[in-house]
Amino acid sequence: MLNIAWHTLRTRLVSFVGTFLALALGAALIAAMGQVLATTVDSPDRAPQRYAAVPYVVVPDEQLRVETWQGEQSRPLAERHGLTAELAARFPGAVVDRIFPAQVASGQDGMGQNKLGGDAVGRPWSASRTAPQRLVEGRAPRTAREIVVSAGARVGDKVSVITRSGTKPYTVVGVTDGPPTVFFTDDQAARLSPRIDALALWTRPSGVPVLTGQERALMDPNREGDERARDNANTIVGIAAGFAVFIAVFVVSSTFAFAVAQRRREFALLRTVGATRRQVRRMVYGEAGFVAVAASALGALAGPYAAGPILDWLVGLGMAPAWLVPSRQTWPAVTAFAVSVVVALAGVSVAARRAGRVHPAEAMREAAIEPRVMTWGRLLVGVGLFTTALISMAMNAVSDPQGATNNKSFMPILMLLVAGVGLLAPIVVRPVARLLAVPLSRLRGAGATLVPAAAATSVRQTAATAAPVLVAVGLAAALLGAAAMTDAAKTAMQAAPVRADYLVLPEGSVGLDRQLVERLRAIREVEIATTAPTSMYTLEGKTALIQRPTEAVDPARFGSMLDIPVTKGSLAQLNDRTIAVSETWELELGESAKLWRADGSEISLKVVALLAPNAPSDSYVTTAHAFSAPVTTAYVKLRPGASARDVESALRRSTQGHNARALTKDAWVSETGDRRGSASRLGLLVVLGIILAYTAISLVNILLMAASDRSAERASLRLLGATRAQVVRYVAGEALLVVAIGVLLAAAVAAISLGGLWSSLVQIAGPIAISVPWPAVGAVIAGCVALAIAAAVAPALRRA
């Protein structure tokens, strides 16, 4: 039977080209994604940047250590202590480095629209040689009012520099290369930031812990950002690879199901001449095996060469560190080959069993009408997948609505729903075809009758052809719609408690400096409340030391600006000896909790409020626990009788020169939503690109298979008097009807999935709209229509 399979494969080359391309693309993607994953996981950390030119660095031990019955637990302190002046005096040849937020003030207009400037750190000039950062223009600073910058200004410019204490005027006397840095004289840097962050030495010190080699990278400012970018790349690559496998199974299954439906008489003839069911199944498996081995080998060999462009794309989207270099490992290619072959054989298994069940008597049939809409096995599996998806959505809505904001939990449910609807599609083909036949009945000619009749007659073939459209349109609508809805829910949750009329926000790591906050408080027409993010450490389960984010607020002013939802207790009781926490802390109202503050000091705080799940922060404390944490938001509320125009003018004057901007609440909500939406769409671009590539190949392949199988039918139409134009219109009408059926099935998938998501989100964010990205969905539908018509009409024009 393998010999027959080989010869059958050669004579039906067109039927297997699309499957070959889909499997080759899948293997190439899996191999490429594997290479990218190997790069992001196995690549060594970036070489030291800040202290690349100095071999030894002495830094303070800034770890919180707590003894538990399982041993010592440690976490990095959010509030740094620095080295003592006595220790620095022991090493007179060392560079005393101080690192603190500093920004060259940018030009602004309107309500704080930033024109120039960027985030930077301040350091003493003596530390410039530790990277090194070399002068490219000008000279070193000599006085307290002279600076050297790496960007944002030129020699001779008079600029203002913003630090935590406020803004002061300086003259730029030099420009360096390297990362954004503002260099002061050593004495001025000491005045601005007394804390000593590191000692850089060229000879090994004794008696103190020292960083050498790759350990020096621990002091680099971009280390946390690099790790986040690694995690983002790993997540995107994993999701893309998962969808590649899912779509490959879908494509191969639909293609071979279509092929088996076409070849029932062929299989019946084989049974008639003595072939057993097992031999027929073996032949179908053999055809799939030949295609899978060849396609998988090609894709596995070619895929690793795409790792570089994919990595560059992720870097361009800000989803991977720019310094990663693609690794050259063999396991991604081997894995891609094995997975693709398994996917092909798994995808053809149902079709092979159906082929083996063909009865010899079917060889005598003249009609092409399918005997049954679907098998009991397909019906049970389809109902099972569909029911599982519905139950999962219901359970999420009842037990964990908060988890709906995580798109990762939505994707598996969506894939179950798509698979279930795809398997059940033959049930709805005839009713949908009859429904769509109603508007067609008003058209002149026999095509209005023939088009829906052909779809209703060949139910399985119609369902197999509509499956790629279901996948493309359904996933595009559901994924983009879900992302928009979760972003809207998060924005609504963040905005709902805000009672303030304006928000003042910083542009950079400096935060809102103390001078600016004082200027804001001096505006008589408004009330001001600020928040500063800090940390608290808890020992959970008496074994795990956890760092939790905390907002430090002024309770006296805070209540009029934010209406924080609570389930128990009241934020009115918040003071220096109390805390408000979310339910994830697993603390009871009135319980005194043993905590550690950002500087490592131990404290006991009483729980006076339990925050609701939709609260904007995990916990709240007073500003007494903020230490040096920067103010990140100032909430502004108009006093009774105050003029909004006068307040806007005062806010504009106050923020001028402080790299901060004042926004109305509505503008802030809109900007927050736009920023979230932009970030969410980046990851979906990768996934949707894979989906559309696969489905385009599958749609074209199945339509070409159908066209080659129905050439005799078109010839009969010509013999009955149909013109070439009428045949082409008939073929195009069939293609459009199949796309319409796929779009309706996709609409059902999108409606059910987005409705289930809405039922969860509405519980935590209040009323939100079910969002459908019509422009994107319309573009996908238009692409399906264009491909379907082109693939159906081209053979008809050639043979009509």
Side-chain angles (χ1 to χ4, degrees), residues 370-593:
E370 295 168 349
R372 285 193 298 172
V373 172
M374 66 167 59
T375 62
W376 282 107
R378 176 170 181 165
L379 179 63
L380 291 175
V381 174
V383 171
L385 293 175
F386 187 79
T387 304
T388 301
L390 293 181
I391 292 174
S392 299
M393 285 189 291
M395 290 180 64
N396 287 344
V398 173
S399 62
D400 186 25
Q402 194 74 25
T405 57
N406 183 358
N407 284 330
K408 295 177 186 177
S409 63
F410 176 76
M411 289 181 181
I413 296 176
L414 178 60
M415 292 198 304
L416 287 174
L417 196 58
V418 169
V421 171
L423 289 173
L424 298 175
I427 295 178
V428 301
V429 166
R430 284 176 181 164
V432 172
R434 294 192 187 101
L435 177 66
L436 295 175
V438 174
L440 290 175
S441 63
R442 300 182 181 180
L443 302 178
R444 292 182 301 174
T449 302
L450 290 176
V451 169
T457 300
S458 304
V459 171
R460 290 180 182 172
Q461 293 187 17
T462 303
T465 311
V469 181
L470 160 65
V471 172
V473 179
L475 290 183
L479 287 176
L480 292 174
M485 289 172 63
T486 53
D487 290 340
K490 291 176 183 177
T491 302
M493 290 167 60
Q494 187 176 358
V498 178
R499 293 178 175 177
D501 301 302
Y502 299 89
L503 292 90
V504 180
L505 306 172
E507 295 188 338
S509 60
V510 175
L512 302 179
D513 60 84
R514 287 190 291 272
Q515 189 180 80
L516 171 58
V517 173
E518 291 173 0
R519 293 177 68 176
L520 292 175
R521 295 193 189 283
I523 302 175
R524 297 180 180 178
E525 294 90 349
V526 299
E527 298 176 5
I528 301 292
T530 61
T531 63
T534 183
S535 294
M536 284 284 179
Y537 300 84
T538 65
L539 192 61
E540 299 185 6
K542 298 184 179 180
T543 58
L545 185 62
I546 305 297
Q547 181 179 359
R548 287 184 170 273
T550 302
E551 290 286 336
V553 300
D554 182 354
R557 300 185 175 95
F558 186 63
S560 62
M561 302 293 177
L562 289 174
D563 183 16
I564 305 298
V566 299
T567 57
K568 293 180 181 179
S570 172
L571 285 169
Q573 301 178 48
L574 190 64
N575 57 50
D576 294 349
R577 304 300 300 176
T578 61
I579 186 173
V581 301
S582 70
E583 294 180 349
T584 62
W585 285 55
E586 298 182 353
L587 296 174
E588 297 294 332
L589 186 67
E591 181 178 353
S592 292

Side-chain angles (χ1 to χ4, degrees), residues 5 11 57 67 86 144 159 200 257-258 275 291 301 335 450 455 468 498 504 508 510 539 582 613 640 733 755:
T11 57
V57 182
E67 289 292 338
E86 292 76 16
V159 299
F258 190 91
V291 174
L301 291 174
T335 302
L450 290 176
V498 178
V504 180
V510 175
L539 192 61
S582 70

Side-chain angles (χ1 to χ4, degrees), residues 61-324:
D61 180 14
E62 294 179 326
Q63 293 281 323
L64 171 62
R65 291 181 170 82
V66 177
E67 289 292 338
T68 70
W69 67 273
Q70 287 188 335
E72 185 181 78
Q73 294 280 312
S74 65
R75 289 289 182 273
L77 288 172
E79 182 75 19
R80 293 182 294 172
H81 294 151
L83 298 169
T84 64
E86 292 76 16
L87 179 62
R90 288 174 50 189
F91 305 101
V95 171
V96 178
D97 198 4
R98 309 171 195 272
I99 306 164
F100 52 96
Q103 288 178 280
V104 176
S106 61
Q108 297 177 338
D109 81 356
M111 288 294 286
Q113 299 302 310
N114 199 352
K115 289 183 175 180
L116 177 67
D119 209 2
V121 296
R123 298 179 71 188
W125 173 248
S126 61
S128 63
R129 58 192 179 119
T130 63
Q133 288 183 252
R134 298 178 178 86
L135 274 172
V136 296
E137 185 182 359
R139 60 172 175 82
R142 296 171 185 165
T143 69
R145 286 293 177 264
E146 292 181 344
I147 58 172
V148 171
V149 299
S150 58
R154 296 174 295 181
V155 173
D157 284 352
K158 306 293 184 181
V159 299
S160 294
V161 176
I162 307 164
T163 61
R164 293 278 172 82
S165 59
T167 178
K168 292 181 180 180
Y170 292 88
T171 300
V172 177
V173 297
V175 177
T176 69
D177 57 8
T181 311
V182 180
F183 289 106
F184 302 84
T185 63
D186 289 12
D187 290 341
Q188 179 66 1
R191 284 190 286 269
L192 293 172
S193 179
R195 185 187 64 218
I196 300 174
D197 294 293
L199 299 176
L201 300 102
W202 280 258
T203 58
R204 188 177 186 93
S206 59
V208 292
V210 62
L211 301 180
T212 63
Q214 184 61 33
E215 293 176 334
R216 294 170 296 166
L218 295 173
M219 294 296 292
D220 286 342
N222 49 17
R223 184 174 179 80
E224 291 184 3
D226 287 348
E227 290 303 318
R228 284 194 299 269
R230 275 185 191 257
D231 292 341
N232 288 338
N234 292 341
T235 300
I236 291 298
V237 169
I239 292 174
F243 269 101
V245 174
F246 171 73
I247 303 297
V249 172
F250 208 94
V251 167
V252 174
S253 301
S254 61
T255 301
F256 275 99
F258 190 91
V260 168
Q262 280 186 316
R263 298 165 62 189
R264 293 187 68 85
R265 179 175 292 183
E266 177 186 328
F267 295 141
L269 287 171
L270 288 173
R271 295 294 311 281
T272 301
V273 298
T276 64
R277 292 185 175 185
R278 183 176 181 182
Q279 287 175 319
V280 173
R281 287 197 299 266
R282 190 185 305 165
M283 185 188 74
V284 176
Y285 274 118
E287 292 173 350
F290 286 130
V291 174
V293 170
S296 301
L298 177 64
L301 291 174
Y305 294 99
I310 291 175
L311 190 58
D312 292 340
W313 186 33
L314 292 175
V315 170
L317 294 175
M319 293 185 172
W323 46 269
L324 291 178

